[in-house]
């Protein structure tokens, strides 16, 4: 006789999970403090507040002192702890202080109907004595196109200021030939002035009808790419369309410090409080429905288990937990106390305490539920009125901050550069430069100094405004740190997109890389081609 299979009884328990709110908050605070302190250290070691013997930022001295070594294994760490500025060799041995080449370009409009024609140009770069043992190559590339009405032999040369052809700076071709590709590649062109590019027709009586060329030169100015011309940390450059951004500039770390310390934990706790408010908003409806079921003759246990099918928004999960606990035989008074502990707000605790006492006393609990529901609804209504009233004041705080930020951004973008340009080149301003207005001398100003002060100002204003917004809204400064964080981000975006331009932060390549357009040429200012063409001396 076959034995009957025993049926297994499977019980799925959706047990209430431990509340991880505080645990998550502590984790967020831990990582926020780590990131905030790291940003603060990065800022303070690059800001100049900690003086060093060699005048370089402490950050680069420490990092390069521990890592600098060239390809041959030579150690230059001692130069980052001495009293003199590190040499170019030492900078090149450190990964974050290497000098990447900047490219200069020159496009010339066609020269027409000539036998020979030329222009002069300059090549910037480092003095030879600054290079040390480092081999610095500045390649030049020239692409040209020469046409004539009849096939004509021609030559293109690049000569130095003494009239000597630069090694590799010679091309000879014939117009009209398919194989004629006019190009000059010079492996290294030394920094100098009055270089000459010239094009000659080599056949007597034949003229060149049209000639044009594009030139590019890589040059090194000796200043690390990640630093400015006054040894402040700028970080890697990111080109975003017409914008040259330096997101790792030392000033940004000042904002990052306060953002990481204030915003993440405040934002998380704001989300927790928002969820609690959503629960409180539905809590009066839940109490009212329980009262109706009680009046209908149902016990509190059955009422809660029935209400689990209703819609209470953010309260749904809590009602489900209470229903599950009641189904396991836990007393109603214990279930609602645990619910009050999980939510943790004074409004819920007050109502639940009242209900628990009424349930224990065995009185007419429906009246207590209705009273608690009305009381909770009235409290939420008053809180809503307060929030709406305070909202206008918070809007004023945000508006005033954006007005302040706009004014400071305008000063940094327009006013300070104009003042700096107006007096930087006047030699009558004394030893320190500047401009003269009557008997008054206006000294030369450092745009980065004012930009730095402005940025510190808007960041501290963000912290103060945000804290006051939180104090007005909830009576706690910490509640406003979310506003402070968002204001800091607004300041970071405004300054990085508008104010931290290459000319204001002291980007060393900016002076050479500005594009100039004339009727004859388009070129970067470092090449400085002559204004007009001339007839060059013969080869």
């Amino acid at each position: 006789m076959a034995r009957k299979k025993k049926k297994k009884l499977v019980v799925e328990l959706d047990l209430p999970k431990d509340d991880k709110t505080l645990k998550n908050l502590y984790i967020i605070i831990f990582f926020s403090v780590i990131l905030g302190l790291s940003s603060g250290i990065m800022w303070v070691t690059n800001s100049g507040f900690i003086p060093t013997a060699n005048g370089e930022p402490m950050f680069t001295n420490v990092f390069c002192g521990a890592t600098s070594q060239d390809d041959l294994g030579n150690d230059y760490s001692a130069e980052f702890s001495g009293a003199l500025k590190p040499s170019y060799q030492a900078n090149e041995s450190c990964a974050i202080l290497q000098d990447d080449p900047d490219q200069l370009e020159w496009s010339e409009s066609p020269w027409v109907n000539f036998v020979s024609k030329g222009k002069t140009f300059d090549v910037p770069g480092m003095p030879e004595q600054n290079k040390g043992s480092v081999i610095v190559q500045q390649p030049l590339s020239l692409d040209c196109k020469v046409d004539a009405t009849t096939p004509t032999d021609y030559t293109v040369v690049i000569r130095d200021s003494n009239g000597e052809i630069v090694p590799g700076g010679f091309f000879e071709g014939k117009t009209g030939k398919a194989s004629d590709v006019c190009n000059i590649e010079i492996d290294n062109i030394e920094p100098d002035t009055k270089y000459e590019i010239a094009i000659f027709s080599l056949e007597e009586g034949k003229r060149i009808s049209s000639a044009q060329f594009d030139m590019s030169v890589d040059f090194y100015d000796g200043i690390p790419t990640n630093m400015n011309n006054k040894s402040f940390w700028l970080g890697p450059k990111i080109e975003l369309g017409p914008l040259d951004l330096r997101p790792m500039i030392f000033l940004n770390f000042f904002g990052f410090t306060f953002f990481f310390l204030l915003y993440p934990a405040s934002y998380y706790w704001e989300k927790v409080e928002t969820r609690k408010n959503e629960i409180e908003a539905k809590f009066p409806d839940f109490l009212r429905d329980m009262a109706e079921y009680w009046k209908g003759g149902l016990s509190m246990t059955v009422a809660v288990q029935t209400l689990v099918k209703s819609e209470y928004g953010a309260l749904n999960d809590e009602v489900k937990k209470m229903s599950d606990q009641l189904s396991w035989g836990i007393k109603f008074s214990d279930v609602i106390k645990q619910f009050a502990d999980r939510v943790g707000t004074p409004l819920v605790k007050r109502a639940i305490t009242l209900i628990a006492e009424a349930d224990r006393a065995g009185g007419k609990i429906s009246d207590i539920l209705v009273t608690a529901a009305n009381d909770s609804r009235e409290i939420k209504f008053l809180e809503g009125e307060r929030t709406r009233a305070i909202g206008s004041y918070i809007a004023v705080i945000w508006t005033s901050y954006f007005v302040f930020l706009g004014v400071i951004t305008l000063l940094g973008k327009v006013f300070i550069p104009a003042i700096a340009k107006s007096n930087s080149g006047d030699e009558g301003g004394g030893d320190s430069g500047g401009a003269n207005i009557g008997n008054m001398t206006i000294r030369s100003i450092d745009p980065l100094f004012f930009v730095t002060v402005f940025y510190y100002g808007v960041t501290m204003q963000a912290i103060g405004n945000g804290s006051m917004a939180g104090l007005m809204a909830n009576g706690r400064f910490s509640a406003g740190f979310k506003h402070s964080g968002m204001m800091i981000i607004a300041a970071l975006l405004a300054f990085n997109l508008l104010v931290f331009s290459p000319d204001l932060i002291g980007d060393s390549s900016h002076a050479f890389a500005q594009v100039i357009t004339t009727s004859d040429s388009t070129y970067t200012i470092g090449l400085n081609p002559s204004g007009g063409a001339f007839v060059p001396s013969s080869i």
Side-chain angles (χ1 to χ4, degrees), residues 8-255:
K8 292 183 179 180
L9 181 62
V10 179
V11 179
E12 295 183 1
L13 298 178
D14 185 13
L15 296 172
K17 298 178 177 60
D18 293 335
D19 187 2
K20 296 182 179 179
T21 301
L22 289 179
K23 180 181 178 181
N24 293 339
L25 177 64
Y26 295 148
I27 292 174
I28 291 173
I29 290 176
F30 174 77
F31 284 105
S32 296
V33 170
I34 294 297
L35 291 173
L37 291 179
S38 300
S39 298
I41 292 172
M42 185 68 179
W43 166 70
V44 77
T45 55
N46 282 285
S47 62
F49 285 113
I50 302 178
T52 57
N54 59 10
E56 298 296 302
M58 177 179 286
F59 166 71
T60 57
N61 281 342
V62 172
F63 181 88
C64 295
T67 62
S68 62
Q69 193 174 62
D70 64 12
D71 295 336
L72 300 177
N74 297 318
D75 186 6
Y76 291 92
S77 59
E79 293 198 30
F80 295 97
S81 57
L84 300 177
K85 283 187 174 293
S87 64
Y88 185 74
Q89 292 171 276
N91 286 341
E92 287 297 297
S93 69
C94 180
I96 63 173
L97 292 184
Q98 293 177 352
D99 181 20
D100 295 331
D102 296 295
Q103 191 170 77
L104 305 177
E105 297 179 344
W106 174 16
S107 294
E108 184 71 8
S109 299
W111 296 344
V112 295
N113 192 27
F114 65 93
V115 175
S116 62
K117 210 168 194 178
K119 270 193 172 185
T120 61
F121 65 95
D122 301 335
V123 175
M126 286 188 296
E128 192 65 32
Q129 62 269 22
N130 291 356
K131 298 177 183 178
S133 61
V134 180
I135 299 175
V136 178
Q137 297 283 333
Q138 298 194 155
L140 179 149
S141 177
L142 179 78
D143 293 319
C144 43
K145 183 179 180 181
V146 180
D147 294 315
T149 55
T150 59
T152 303
D153 293 329
Y154 69 92
T155 186
V156 181
V157 297
I158 294 178
R159 300 189 286 201
D160 60 23
S161 56
N162 297 320
E164 301 293 331
I165 296 177
V166 176
F170 179 87
F171 177 83
E172 188 172 294
K174 189 179 187 69
T175 63
K177 291 180 63 176
S179 60
D180 183 58
V181 179
C182 182
N183 175 260
I184 289 178
E185 298 289 341
I186 299 175
D187 294 333
N188 179 43
I189 185 165
E190 295 293 336
D192 201 355
T193 60
K194 301 302 180 182
Y195 279 101
E196 176 186 289
I197 175 173
I199 302 176
F200 299 88
S201 170
L202 299 180
E203 298 187 37
E204 188 174 352
K206 290 187 177 182
R207 303 176 70 85
I208 294 174
S209 58
S210 174
Q212 63 186 89
F213 59 85
D214 295 316
M215 178 189 294
S216 65
V217 179
D218 289 349
F219 88 100
Y220 294 81
D221 58 9
I223 299 175
T225 302
N226 291 334
M227 306 288 284
N228 76 348
N229 50 21
K230 293 192 175 181
S231 296
F232 283 107
W233 176 261
L234 300 182
K237 180 190 295 185
I238 295 178
E239 295 183 359
L240 188 64
L243 300 175
D244 289 337
L245 303 179
R246 297 276 191 166
M248 303 300 287
I249 185 174
F250 76 97
L251 289 173
N252 281 347
F253 288 98
F254 181 76

Side-chain angles (χ1 to χ4, degrees), residues 138-414:
Q138 298 194 155
L140 179 149
S141 177
L142 179 78
D143 293 319
C144 43
K145 183 179 180 181
V146 180
D147 294 315
T149 55
T150 59
T152 303
D153 293 329
Y154 69 92
T155 186
V156 181
V157 297
I158 294 178
R159 300 189 286 201
D160 60 23
S161 56
N162 297 320
E164 301 293 331
I165 296 177
V166 176
F170 179 87
F171 177 83
E172 188 172 294
K174 189 179 187 69
T175 63
K177 291 180 63 176
S179 60
D180 183 58
V181 179
C182 182
N183 175 260
I184 289 178
E185 298 289 341
I186 299 175
D187 294 333
N188 179 43
I189 185 165
E190 295 293 336
D192 201 355
T193 60
K194 301 302 180 182
Y195 279 101
E196 176 186 289
I197 175 173
I199 302 176
F200 299 88
S201 170
L202 299 180
E203 298 187 37
E204 188 174 352
K206 290 187 177 182
R207 303 176 70 85
I208 294 174
S209 58
S210 174
Q212 63 186 89
F213 59 85
D214 295 316
M215 178 189 294
S216 65
V217 179
D218 289 349
F219 88 100
Y220 294 81
D221 58 9
I223 299 175
T225 302
N226 291 334
M227 306 288 284
N228 76 348
N229 50 21
K230 293 192 175 181
S231 296
F232 283 107
W233 176 261
L234 300 182
K237 180 190 295 185
I238 295 178
E239 295 183 359
L240 188 64
L243 300 175
D244 289 337
L245 303 179
R246 297 276 191 166
M248 303 300 287
I249 185 174
F250 76 97
L251 289 173
N252 281 347
F253 288 98
F254 181 76
F256 291 152
T257 299
F258 291 102
F259 176 79
F260 286 126
L261 290 176
L262 301 179
Y263 183 76
S266 178
Y267 176 78
Y268 173 75
W269 197 249
E270 181 73 15
K271 299 292 288 184
V272 171
E273 291 296 320
T274 299
R275 183 178 180 277
K276 288 181 178 180
N277 287 334
E278 291 173 351
I279 290 175
E280 286 184 345
K282 291 294 183 180
F283 185 59
D285 296 335
F286 174 68
L287 295 180
R288 182 201 60 204
D289 292 344
M290 277 209 304
E292 294 297 326
Y293 277 105
W294 176 267
K295 291 178 181 178
L298 299 179
S299 66
M300 286 292 98
T301 299
V302 177
V304 172
Q305 291 175 334
T306 305
L307 290 174
V308 75
K309 300 176 183 178
S310 301
E311 177 57 43
Y312 294 107
L315 192 58
N316 285 342
D317 291 339
E318 296 298 334
V319 176
K320 178 69 165 56
K321 288 179 182 179
M322 287 191 288
S323 174
D324 291 342
Q325 289 174 319
L326 290 170
S327 67
W328 304 329
I330 301 176
K331 290 194 303 181
F332 175 74
S333 58
D334 293 337
V335 169
I336 59 176
K337 285 180 180 179
Q338 291 178 23
F339 163 69
D341 292 337
R342 286 196 301 271
V343 177
T345 62
L347 183 146
V348 173
K349 285 185 175 181
R350 175 183 172 183
I352 291 301
T353 301
L354 187 63
I355 295 168
E357 289 299 321
D359 181 64
R360 185 178 63 83
K364 191 175 181 182
I365 197 171
S366 60
D367 293 341
I368 302 298
L369 289 171
V370 171
T371 301
N374 292 336
D375 181 61
S376 300
R377 184 175 286 107
E378 184 66 22
I379 291 174
K380 294 305 295 181
F381 174 77
L382 293 175
E383 287 181 356
E385 286 292 306
R386 183 175 185 272
T387 300
R388 285 187 289 273
I390 294 299
S392 59
Y393 293 100
I394 294 177
V396 169
I397 289 176
W398 271 94
T399 302
S400 65
Y401 177 74
F402 276 116
V403 169
F404 177 72
L405 178 61
V407 171
I408 292 298
T409 301
L410 187 64
L411 287 174
K413 182 64 177 176
V414 178

Side-chain angles (χ1 to χ4, degrees), residues 424-497:
S424 60
D426 194 324
E427 296 180 357
D431 295 337
S432 60
N436 291 329
I437 302 178
N439 294 326
M440 181 176 63
T441 299
I442 302 176
R443 299 296 182 185
S444 296
I445 66 171
D446 178 13
L448 182 59
F449 170 78
F450 287 93
V451 168
T452 300
V453 172
F454 288 165
Y455 180 67
Y456 291 163
V458 296
T459 302
M460 300 312 295
Q461 183 78 6
I463 296 172
N465 280 17
S467 299
M468 287 305 301
L471 183 65
M472 295 176 66
N474 298 319
R476 302 190 311 273
F477 283 114
S478 59
F481 290 161
K482 182 187 73 171
H483 295 281
S484 296
M486 291 188 290
M487 290 178 182
I488 289 172
I489 291 297
L492 281 167
L493 291 174
F495 271 72
N496 279 273
L497 294 177

